[in-house]
Amino acid sequence: MSHHVRRRLLFSLASVLLALSLSCERAPEAPLGPGIAEPFPGARGGVERILAAARADDRAWARLAEMCDTFGPRPAGSTAYLAAARWAADTMRADGLDGVRLEPVEVEAWERGRESLVLLAPNGPRPLPVTTLGGSVGTPPGGIEADLVVVHDFDELERRAGEVRGKVVLFDHPMEDRDDMFRAYGDAVKYRWAGASRAARHGARAVLVRSLTTRSLRTLHTGQMGYDEDAPRIPAAAITVEDSAMLARLAARGVPLRVLLRLGPHRLGRRPCPNVVAELPGRELPDEVVVVGAHLDSWDLGNGAMDDGGGVILALETARLLRENGLVPRRTIRVVLFAGEEIGGLPGGHAYVEAHREELDRHVAALESDAGTFRPTGFSVRAGDEARERLARYVRLIADGDGLELREGGGGPDVSPLGREGVPVIGLRTDTTHYFDYHHSPADMPEAVPDEDLRESLAVFAAMAWLVAEAPDPLPRAPEKP
Amino acid sequence: MSHHVRRRLLFSLASVLLALSLSCERAPEAPLGPGIAEPFPGARGGVERILAAARADDRAWARLAEMCDTFGPRPAGSTAYLAAARWAADTMRADGLDGVRLEPVEVEAWERGRESLVLLAPNGPRPLPVTTLGGSVGTPPGGIEADLVVVHDFDELERRAGEVRGKVVLFDHPMEDRDDMFRAYGDAVKYRWAGASRAARHGARAVLVRSLTTRSLRTLHTGQMGYDEDAPRIPAAAITVEDSAMLARLAARGVPLRVLLRLGPHRLGRRPCPNVVAELPGRELPDEVVVVGAHLDSWDLGNGAMDDGGGVILALETARLLRENGLVPRRTIRVVLFAGEEIGGLPGGHAYVEAHREELDRHVAALESDAGTFRPTGFSVRAGDEARERLARYVRLIADGDGLELREGGGGPDVSPLGREGVPVIGLRTDTTHYFDYHHSPADMPEAVPDEDLRESLAVFAAMAWLVAEAPDPLPRAPEKP
C-alpha cells in the first residue's frame, strides 16, 4: 500500500472515530486515530489550520529570495549584515510584531581579501580555484611558493612528518556520502578546523584542505578554522574536490608538485553585529516565552539562502502566519535572529542569554532551524524525559501519525546556550541529502531551497512552535543537575 | 519484465538457436537470434571480444585522468595544447601505432584575461562570478559601469530597444531541461552566439548571458561567440544561472541595477595547433582508411575531460585495444585528434580534408565521439541509405538486439568536413542528461566522466570502428549529388 493510500485510509478511519467521539465527553489526551493523540483540547484544530495555511503560503520563498537578492552575503560584522538586520526589523514591524529591536552584539570581524592558487608544476602556471578559510591569517604579499605534499589524514601527516617542513600540505580527505550527512561532516571537518596547526607543528608553511562536500561542480566550500595556542599560525584555504583529487592523483604518480598560494584576508577588529528580536505577545501568559530562532549571518561566498536564510524565514513566517490566521498562542512567541553563528563562539547566542538572564526561567522552549529547510524529517531535542515525551506526542500529531521523528540532539547552535541554561531546545530536522552540496559555498543561493520544501518546513516548524506556546502547561524543565 | 530479465531470456533463446545453427551451413547474414544478424562471417566473434576487452579495461579512465591532470586545460593555440599533442603522439608510439605525426594547423588564438563583474546597486559592491565568452573583445581597462537591463529573449530586446542605449544587457534565457539536451542547447545558444551584436545594434555597451546549463552550483559556462559584420563589437560574458535569476528577480521587483564589468581578453594572433595523427595499418587493405577521431582542444575553464577528453581516449584506446587483442582489421584505422573545435570554424577538420584530399575517396568512414562518453545510446549517422542500413545491422549486433539506436545526424563536428566530401560519418551518442552540467565549465574534470560509462562507450565505439574497418565490402558511399 502506498504511503498516500495508507494516509487516506487512516484519515478516513480517524474521521469516523472523531465523529463518534464528538458525542462523548472527550478526555484531553484521548487517542483520535491509530496512535495519534490530541495532547490538549484544540491542539488538532490549531495544527491543521497551521499546516494548511503554511502549505498554501507563497510568501516564504518570495521573502527568502527578497532578502538574499537584496543584500547578498551577510557575513558577521559586515555592512550587508547590518542592512539585512534593518530589513528584518522592518519586516517584523510590517508583520505586526511588538517590541522590534536590535540587541547589541559585537563580533571579531574577518574579511576575505584577494586569493589565488597557481599550480606551477607540472606544466604550469595553472590557476586553481581557492577560498581562504574563515579566520585564517594571510600569506606574505608575494605569496608562498613551495612544493606540495599530499596527505589523506592526520595519521599520514604524522608518518610523513619529516617531509613537510617548508612545504604546503594538502589534506585530501574525502567527506563520506552517508545517510547522516551531519555525521559525515563531523568526521571530515577536523582537517578544516585543525589541519593548519597540526601541519604547522611539523614546519609546514600553509595548508590546503579538500572542500567538504560529496557533490561538486568544482565548487569551493569555505568555513571557520582555528589555531592552537602552541603552534605557528599558518594560512589555510580550501580547494575543490576535483582539484584535491587531481593533486592526489599526480602525487600518487610521483609527479613533483609546486604551488604559489596568495591569501590576503583582513582582520577587521570588533564590529557591531546585533541580534534582531521581536515578539508576538502571548494571549494569556505573555511573560512566558517560546523563542523561534535562526542565525542571520552567512558565509560570504553565497547569499546564505540555505544557511541559514531558510531558518530566518521560518522564524519570521511562523510569527506572521500565526498572527494572520488568528492563532496567537497562550505564550509569547519571540523571534530571535542570532548574530555571528558562522564565525564560531556563538556570540549571538551568548549575548541573548546574557541580555535575558532575568527571564530565562520563563523561557519555556527555544526552537531553531539551522539544518536546512529541505523536506522535514522531524526534530532534534535536548530536554528532560517528561518534556521529550510530550514533544514526541506533538510530533505524532503534526505528522498525522508517522513521517516525522523525534531524536535526541542539540536543537540548534544558536539556542544551545539557552539549552545549557536548562531551556528545552528543539531543532527542525530535514532531509540532509543535498545540504552539503550548497553549504558554505557560492551555490548557497535561493535556488538551493525548493519552494515546496520551505513551505513544508514552515508548516512543521510553525505547528511545533504553536503547540509549545499554546499548551495549557509549560513544557517541563529537566530536573536541575546536582 | 525488466530489461535485464528480458535480455537474459533473449540470450538463452539465442544460445539455443545458435547451437542449432552450428550444425547447418551458415549463410553469411543468417539471423543468429531474434532480430540479430551477423553482417559478415566473424563479425559476432570480433564484436564479442572487443566488448569483453573494453569492459574489462582499466586503462581508459586512468589515461583520461593522466592527460587532464598533467596538462590542465588545452585551449587551441596554447602551450598546454602543444604539450598535450606531444603526449598524445608519444602515447600513440608507445601503443605501437604507425606513422605518428603532427599535421600542421594554425588557429586564431584567444586568451582569457582578468575578468570581474561587480553589482554596484542594490547594496553593492558585490562581486559576481563572470566568465568572458570566447572571441569577445574586452572592456576599456577601467571597465564599463552602466545600468543593467534584463531581457529574456530577442523579442523582448526588440520591444524594449529604446531602453538599452548605454546600458549593459543581460539575456536571462533559461535552457530547457528536456530529453534531448542537445536540442535544448541549440535553442538557447543563440543568445550566447549572437546576443552581443543584437544588443549592440540598439546601443548596448556590453552583454551578459545566462550560463547554458540546467543544473548549476553557481557554475560558469563559457563558449564561443560571434560578431556580425554590421554591428559594433561589444564585450560579452556569461554569468551563472543563479545570478542571472537573481538579477531578473530584482529587475522584476523594480529595483534599479548597476554593474561594473571588466574583461581583459587577448587576441594572440595565429598560433600553431596541430592535428595529431597515427595509424593502425590495415591487414589486407591498408590504403582504405577508417578515421576514428575527437578534438584534442578544450575550453580553458576545466580540464576538458568530457569535452572532448573522453573522445580523445576512445580514439586512442580503440587502436590500442584492437592491436593488443589481435584484432587488427582489414582496413587501416587512422586515429585523428583534431585541433581547434571549440573556437569555431573547425580548423582541424578542414585542415585534415585539405591534407588528405588525394585519398578522400579511400576514406571508408569517419567516426567521432564528441557528445559525451556517458552511457552509450547509439550512433548518429550521415550516409546514404545503403550504408545506413548496413550500420543499423552493426548496431543491432553490438547491442545484442536492442538498447542502441541509429539516428540520422551529423556524426560529429570535426568529421563533418569529411562528411561534406561524401565520407560516411558516424558519431557516438550517449545519455546527455548530465552533459551540460559540465559543458564548457570549470567542472569539466575527470570526475565528470564515470569510469563504467567510459568503458561502455569504448566497447561500443571500438566495436563499430572494427566492424566498418573489417567488413569484406567497404561501406557504400551515397550516390554523388547531381
Side-chain angles (χ1 to χ4, degrees):
Chain A
M1 195 174 350
S2 82
H3 177 71
H4 225 72
V5 173
R6 199 171 60 227
R7 278 275 290 263
R8 283 235 302 267
L9 217 68
L10 289 178
F11 186 74
S12 310
L13 191 63
S15 306
V16 171
L17 290 172
L18 179 64
L20 286 173
S21 77
L22 284 177
S23 56
C24 318
E25 171 118 8
R26 187 147 40 106
E29 301 190 357
L32 296 178
I36 311 167
E38 190 174 50
F40 55 85
R44 174 180 299 281
V47 166
E48 281 173 354
R49 284 171 61 194
I50 292 165
L51 297 181
R55 287 167 184 159
D57 188 282
D58 60 0
R59 277 185 289 189
W61 200 91
R63 199 168 254 191
L64 175 66
E66 183 192 343
M67 178 178 76
C68 294
D69 298 347
T70 306
F71 305 105
R74 307 178 297 278
S78 67
T79 54
Y81 181 94
L82 292 176
R86 283 191 297 268
W87 169 89
D90 291 344
T91 300
M92 289 162 162
R93 276 184 210 103
D95 286 351
L97 300 193
D98 278 19
V100 177
R101 65 223 184 246
L102 305 187
E103 296 189 351
V105 182
E106 279 198 344
V107 296
E108 287 290 339
W110 174 97
E111 189 178 64
R112 182 178 311 286
R114 292 218 171 167
E115 49 196 8
S116 68
L117 173 64
V118 180
L119 183 61
L120 299 172
N123 287 299
R126 290 190 250 171
L128 303 182
V130 69
T131 188
T132 314
L133 295 181
S136 172
V137 299
T139 63
I144 291 171
E145 184 184 327
D147 292 344
L148 183 78
V149 175
V150 182
V151 301
H152 298 89
D153 52 35
F154 286 140
D155 285 348
E156 187 179 351
L157 176 71
E158 298 306 324
R159 280 200 310 276
R160 299 176 58 194
E163 297 173 45
V164 310
R165 181 158 307 276
K167 311 277 175 64
V168 173
V169 171
L170 164 62
F171 290 99
D172 174 53
H173 187 85
M175 178 169 159
E176 282 183 43
D177 202 350
R178 290 197 298 215
D179 276 355
D180 188 337
M181 292 301 293
F182 279 96
R183 253 175 218 278
Y185 178 69
D187 287 349
V189 73
K190 56 179 174 283
Y191 299 98
R192 188 190 83 201
W193 181 265
S197 289
R198 293 289 289 261
R201 283 206 188 88
H202 299 301
R205 295 173 66 194
V207 297
L208 301 173
V209 297
R210 177 174 167 134
S211 281
L212 291 172
T213 187
T214 57
R215 275 164 285 268
S216 175
L217 290 173
R218 202 109 176 255
T219 320
L220 290 165
H221 295 251
T222 188
Q224 195 69 12
M225 56 82 64
Y227 290 114
D228 292 349
E229 289 294 330
D230 62 346
R233 298 190 163 212
I234 62 173
I239 62 175
T240 72
V241 163
E242 290 91 337
D243 290 296
S244 187
M246 174 182 80
L247 294 168
R249 284 192 300 263
L250 285 163
R253 288 182 206 121
V255 177
L257 301 170
R258 195 163 177 84
V259 296
L260 172 59
L261 178 68
R262 283 196 182 99
L263 306 176
H266 311 287
R267 294 183 181 276
L268 304 173
R270 292 192 78 72
R271 290 278 177 96
C273 189
N275 290 335
V276 190
V277 184
E279 275 121 21
L280 181 65
R283 192 179 71 237
E284 288 179 14
L285 301 163
D287 288 349
E288 295 188 15
V289 174
V290 174
V291 166
V292 295
H295 65 84
L296 182 59
D297 67 310
S298 77
W299 274 106
D300 58 342
L301 299 180
N303 286 358
M306 186 200 76
D307 186 10
D308 183 22
V312 166
I313 297 304
L314 292 199
L316 291 174
E317 295 296 287
T318 290
R320 183 185 65 71
L321 196 104
L322 296 183
R323 186 172 173 279
E324 284 188 8
N325 287 277
L327 284 159
V328 175
R330 216 178 293 272
R331 294 180 191 78
T332 290
I333 296 273
R334 180 177 291 163
V335 178
V336 184
L337 307 183
F338 292 95
E341 192 275 335
E342 297 296 2
I343 59 173
L346 301 169
H350 287 297
Y352 179 86
V353 166
E354 290 316 313
H356 297 269
R357 193 164 281 290
E358 301 277 294
E359 51 164 355
L360 288 186
D361 57 349
R362 297 190 304 276
H363 275 61
V364 169
L367 284 80
E368 177 164 8
S369 165
D370 185 28
T373 46
F374 297 100
R375 184 184 55 78
T377 56
F379 293 90
S380 66
V381 168
R382 185 192 287 171
D385 293 344
E386 214 185 325
R388 206 164 51 243
E389 205 170 295
R390 195 183 305 171
L391 292 170
R393 289 162 60 208
Y394 293 173
V395 166
R396 283 197 296 276
L397 182 71
I398 296 168
D400 195 22
D402 59 7
L404 296 174
E405 202 189 8
L406 194 75
R407 280 202 195 169
E408 190 73 29
D414 301 288
V415 298
S416 65
L418 283 167
R420 278 194 285 277
E421 300 289 332
V423 178
V425 292
I426 305 169
L428 179 68
R429 291 175 49 242
T430 72
D431 179 355
T432 59
T433 308
H434 291 289
Y435 186 83
F436 289 95
D437 301 6
Y438 307 107
H439 183 249
H440 296 186
S441 89
D444 189 0
M445 301 287 278
E447 285 71 14
V449 181
D451 184 6
E452 67 193 63
D453 290 348
L454 185 63
R455 287 177 201 223
E456 194 59 26
S457 290
L458 174 59
V460 165
F461 188 80
M464 179 58 95
W466 179 82
L467 284 166
V468 172
E470 178 64 18
D473 301 321
L475 207 57
R477 288 275 178 117
E480 294 206 9
K481 285 170 205 152
Chain B
M1 198 175 343
S2 82
H3 176 70
H4 225 72
V5 173
R6 198 171 60 228
R7 277 272 292 261
R8 282 233 304 263
L9 216 68
L10 289 178
F11 186 76
S12 309
L13 191 62
S15 305
V16 172
L17 289 172
L18 178 64
L20 285 173
S21 75
L22 285 177
S23 56
C24 317
E25 172 121 9
R26 187 148 39 109
E29 302 192 353
L32 295 179
I36 312 167
E38 190 175 50
F40 56 85
R44 174 180 300 280
V47 166
E48 281 173 354
R49 283 172 61 194
I50 292 165
L51 297 181
R55 286 168 186 159
D57 188 282
D58 59 1
R59 277 185 288 188
W61 200 91
R63 200 167 254 192
L64 175 66
E66 183 192 344
M67 178 177 75
C68 294
D69 298 348
T70 306
F71 305 105
R74 307 177 298 277
S78 67
T79 54
Y81 180 93
L82 292 176
R86 282 191 297 269
W87 170 88
D90 290 344
T91 300
M92 290 161 162
R93 276 184 210 103
D95 287 350
L97 300 194
D98 277 19
V100 178
R101 62 216 186 254
L102 305 187
E103 296 190 350
V105 183
E106 278 199 344
V107 296
E108 287 290 339
W110 175 96
E111 189 178 64
R112 182 178 311 286
R114 291 218 172 170
E115 49 197 8
S116 68
L117 174 64
V118 180
L119 183 61
L120 299 172
N123 286 301
R126 289 191 252 170
L128 303 182
V130 69
T131 187
T132 314
L133 294 181
S136 172
V137 299
T139 63
I144 291 173
E145 184 185 327
D147 292 343
L148 182 79
V149 175
V150 182
V151 301
H152 299 89
D153 52 35
F154 287 139
D155 286 347
E156 186 178 352
L157 176 71
E158 297 307 324
R159 281 200 310 276
R160 299 176 58 193
E163 298 173 45
V164 310
R165 181 158 306 277
K167 309 277 175 66
V168 174
V169 171
L170 164 63
F171 290 100
D172 174 54
H173 187 85
M175 178 170 160
E176 281 182 44
D177 201 350
R178 291 197 298 216
D179 275 355
D180 188 337
M181 292 301 294
F182 279 96
R183 256 175 215 277
Y185 179 69
D187 289 348
V189 74
K190 57 179 174 281
Y191 298 98
R192 189 191 82 202
W193 181 265
S197 288
R198 293 290 289 263
R201 285 207 187 87
H202 299 303
R205 296 173 66 194
V207 297
L208 301 173
V209 298
R210 178 175 168 132
S211 281
L212 291 172
T213 187
T214 56
R215 274 165 286 267
S216 175
L217 289 173
R218 203 109 176 255
T219 321
L220 289 165
H221 296 250
T222 190
Q224 196 68 12
M225 56 83 63
Y227 290 114
D228 292 349
E229 289 294 331
D230 62 345
R233 297 190 164 211
I234 62 173
I239 62 175
T240 72
V241 163
E242 289 91 337
D243 290 296
S244 188
M246 175 182 80
L247 294 168
R249 285 192 300 262
L250 285 163
R253 288 182 207 122
V255 176
L257 301 170
R258 195 161 178 85
V259 295
L260 172 59
L261 177 68
R262 283 197 181 100
L263 305 176
H266 312 286
R267 292 181 183 281
L268 304 173
R270 293 191 78 71
R271 291 278 176 98
C273 189
N275 291 335
V276 189
V277 184
E279 275 122 21
L280 181 65
R283 193 180 70 237
E284 288 180 13
L285 301 164
D287 288 349
E288 296 190 14
V289 173
V290 174
V291 165
V292 295
H295 64 85
L296 183 60
D297 68 310
S298 76
W299 274 105
D300 58 342
L301 299 180
N303 286 359
M306 186 200 75
D307 186 9
D308 185 20
V312 166
I313 296 305
L314 293 199
L316 292 174
E317 295 296 287
T318 290
R320 184 186 63 74
L321 196 104
L322 296 183
R323 186 172 174 280
E324 284 189 8
N325 287 278
L327 284 159
V328 174
R330 217 178 293 273
R331 293 179 191 78
T332 290
I333 296 274
R334 180 177 290 163
V335 178
V336 184
L337 306 183
F338 293 95
E341 192 274 339
E342 296 296 1
I343 60 173
L346 300 170
H350 288 296
Y352 180 86
V353 166
E354 289 318 312
H356 298 268
R357 191 164 283 289
E358 300 279 293
E359 52 163 353
L360 288 185
D361 58 349
R362 296 191 303 275
H363 275 61
V364 170
L367 285 81
E368 178 164 8
S369 164
D370 185 28
T373 46
F374 297 101
R375 183 184 54 80
T377 57
F379 292 90
S380 66
V381 168
R382 185 191 287 170
D385 293 343
E386 214 185 324
R388 207 164 50 242
E389 206 170 293
R390 195 184 306 172
L391 292 170
R393 289 164 58 208
Y394 293 174
V395 165
R396 283 196 296 276
L397 182 71
I398 296 168
D400 194 22
D402 59 6
L404 297 174
E405 203 189 7
L406 194 74
R407 282 202 194 169
E408 190 73 30
D414 302 287
V415 297
S416 65
L418 283 168
R420 278 193 285 277
E421 299 290 333
V423 178
V425 292
I426 305 168
L428 179 68
R429 292 174 49 242
T430 72
D431 179 355
T432 58
T433 308
H434 291 291
Y435 186 84
F436 289 95
D437 301 7
Y438 307 107
H439 182 250
H440 296 186
S441 88
D444 189 0
M445 301 288 278
E447 284 72 14
V449 181
D451 183 7
E452 66 193 62
D453 290 348
L454 185 64
R455 288 177 200 224
E456 194 60 26
S457 290
L458 174 59
V460 165
F461 187 82
M464 178 58 94
W466 179 81
L467 284 165
V468 172
E470 178 65 18
D473 301 322
L475 209 55
R477 288 275 178 118
E480 294 204 8
K481 286 170 202 151

